[in-house]
Every structure is written in C-alpha cells, then in structure tokens.
C-alpha cells in the first residue's frame, strides 16, 4: 500500500476489538449520483430493515459495541453517533438516504446494508500517512461553518483520524473534514471499513464494495487489503 494506516497503542487499549479493512482505488471516475447508485441506496435501506427486524439501529450488537467504544473515550453516543448508526437512522426515516455523488453513494450503501462505518478519502489530498490516535486537543480540524472556513480542535483524548496536516475525521468516524472527502473530481481514493469484534462482517462488506466500485467506475484499479485487528 502506498499509504500507511496505523492505529495507536492508546486506541488499541481503549478498544481491543477494533478491526479495519482498507481498499485502495485508482483511476476512478466519479460524478453526480445516478439511477444505479440511487437504487443501491434504496436496496441498502431494505437490507437494513431486514437485518434489524423491527429493532432500532442502536440495538444491533455491532452498534452496541461501537457505542461502548465511544463512551470509553468520553463521547455521548446518543448525541454523536458513529457514522453507520447515523446513516442507518436516516435510511429508515421518511426522507431516506441523501444522494451525494456516485462514489459516496456506493460506500454509504455498503455502510447501511452491512451496518458498519465506511469512509472514503481522496488520496491526492492526504498529507503523509493516516493515524488513528487519541487527540492531544491542539490539533487542527478544518471544516466549514456558515459557508466559511473554520478551524476546530478535538477534545483531549478524543479518538481521531489524522494525517500530517491535521485531523481528517473527528470522534473516530463521526464527522469527516472537507479537505479529504471525495468529490466529483476525485480519481484516487482509499476506503476504510471499521468494525468492533470478530463478527463485524468486514470481509464480506469489503468484497462487495470493491465489486461495486468496479461496476460504477469501469477501468478503476481496486485492491482490497486483508483485515487488520
């Protein structure tokens, strides 16, 4: 892998059951949402409803494990939900899932269908390697507020993804910064699937995501890496 992802010892101590799968993809062709990606999102919502069988998303065992991890570093999981739980709630609501762009739609569909946090980062905007760490509290998280550039700082001890320039995602996978998110101009990306415990289903989700990426972006070079625990 051209990009190295590391998980700090502090995070592993906090959540020893954490695992992740990375997928590298090059020569992607992104664009607006399509009928195909929209149908994937609708199908993902149906698959989620079958999985939950009347339960709320936070009652799923995998989401219970994620809530425990969030609580362990001081977050309030009912207020700052992990990305999978937040998407699942939207998928089951009347408005359904948002349509963002083709690549984001694809990984959001996988997240909802498998109920696991999935993120996508533009490789051409990542500076250095990516690390999952507990924040000191002085790191920069560049975001947008009221249409203007704004700089926030994570709470000390908060789990964040970061690179050499600053935080790329706060509270593990709660909120991604705009600097590295996938846009319609993105051509090279890394997708990150995150799980808690051995039964998270990352391998199956990763295989399905790779297949869909090749379908919506023919000619892309996609590599799925082995799960890292």
């Amino acid at each position: 892998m051209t990009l190295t992802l590391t998980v700090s010892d502090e995070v592993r101590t906090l959540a020893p059951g954490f695992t992740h799968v990375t997928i590298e993809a090059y020569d992607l062709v992104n664009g607006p949402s399509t009928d195909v990606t929209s149908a994937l999102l609708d199908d993902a919502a149906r698959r989620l409803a079958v999985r939950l069988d009347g339960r709320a998303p936070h009652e799923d065992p995998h989401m219970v494990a994620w809530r425990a991890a969030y609580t362990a570093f001081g977050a309030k999981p009912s207020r700052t939900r992990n990305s999978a739980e937040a998407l699942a709630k939207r998928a089951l609501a009347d408005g359904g899932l948002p349509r963002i762009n083709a690549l984001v739609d694809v990984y959001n569909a996988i997240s909802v269908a498998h109920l696991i946090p999935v993120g996508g980062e533009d490789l051409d905007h990542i500076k250095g390697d990516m690390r999952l760490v507990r924040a000191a509290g002085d790191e920069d998280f560049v975001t947008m507020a009221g249409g203007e550039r704004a700089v926030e700082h994570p709470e000390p001890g908060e789990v964040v993804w970061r690179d050499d320039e600053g935080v790329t995602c706060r509270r593990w996978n709660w909120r991604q910064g705009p600097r590295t998110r996938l846009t319609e101009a993105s051509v090279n990306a890394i997708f990150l699937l995150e799980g808690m415990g051995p039964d998270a289903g990352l391998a199956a989700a990763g295989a399905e995501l790779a297949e869909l990426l090749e379908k919506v972006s023919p000619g892309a070079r996609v590599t799925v890496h082995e799960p890292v625990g």
Side-chain angles (χ1 to χ4, degrees):
M1 187 188 296
T2 55
L3 175 72
T4 300
L5 282 79
T6 57
V7 178
S8 73
D9 291 340
E10 285 186 316
V11 173
R12 293 207 177 279
T13 299
L14 176 83
F18 176 65
T19 59
H20 65 277
V21 165
T22 53
I23 298 175
E24 285 183 281
Y26 299 92
D27 301 327
L28 293 161
V29 178
N30 199 10
S33 302
T34 67
D35 290 344
V36 170
T37 65
S38 184
L40 287 173
L41 291 169
D42 289 339
D43 182 60
R46 288 190 290 268
R47 291 167 64 181
L48 173 68
V50 170
R51 172 184 175 130
L52 293 174
D53 192 23
R55 294 173 300 170
H58 71 267
E59 296 174 303
D60 182 89
H62 193 213
M63 295 299 95
V64 170
W66 270 106
R67 282 190 164 220
Y70 268 51
T71 300
F73 70 81
K76 293 180 170 59
S78 59
R79 234 173 58 192
T80 55
R81 296 178 175 88
N82 72 80
S83 64
E85 184 183 328
L87 271 180
K89 283 182 66 67
R90 295 191 71 171
L92 299 173
D94 289 342
L97 289 163
R99 274 57 173 166
I100 308 297
N101 60 55
L103 292 178
V104 174
D105 289 355
V106 167
Y107 79 69
N108 279 348
I110 293 297
S111 177
V112 168
H114 292 266
L115 202 52
I116 58 175
V118 182
E121 305 277 358
D122 190 317
L123 277 170
D124 296 320
H125 293 285
I126 294 172
K127 307 301 182 185
D129 293 325
M130 292 181 62
R131 292 95 75 187
L132 186 66
V133 301
R134 300 197 70 176
D138 58 356
E139 300 90 344
D140 286 347
F141 177 72
V142 179
T143 185
M144 302 295 291
E148 299 291 330
R149 182 183 184 273
V151 179
E152 300 177 357
H153 304 286
E155 296 292 329
E158 181 182 324
V159 176
V160 298
W161 280 103
R162 64 159 303 163
D163 63 4
D164 290 351
E165 190 166 313
V167 174
T168 57
C169 196
R170 287 198 59 189
R171 294 189 183 132
W172 215 311
N173 47 49
W174 168 65
R175 180 150 63 99
Q176 183 186 31
R179 171 170 60 92
T180 59
R181 69 177 48 149
L182 297 180
T183 70
E184 293 181 21
S186 298
V187 293
N188 302 309
I190 187 164
F191 299 89
L192 180 65
L193 299 83
E194 300 179 289
M196 288 288 171
D199 301 322
L202 297 187
E208 185 176 353
L209 176 54
E211 182 180 338
L212 290 176
L213 290 171
E214 291 169 345
K215 178 180 179 180
V216 302
S217 189
R221 295 180 288 120
V222 179
T223 302
V224 182
H225 296 277
E226 291 295 319
V228 177

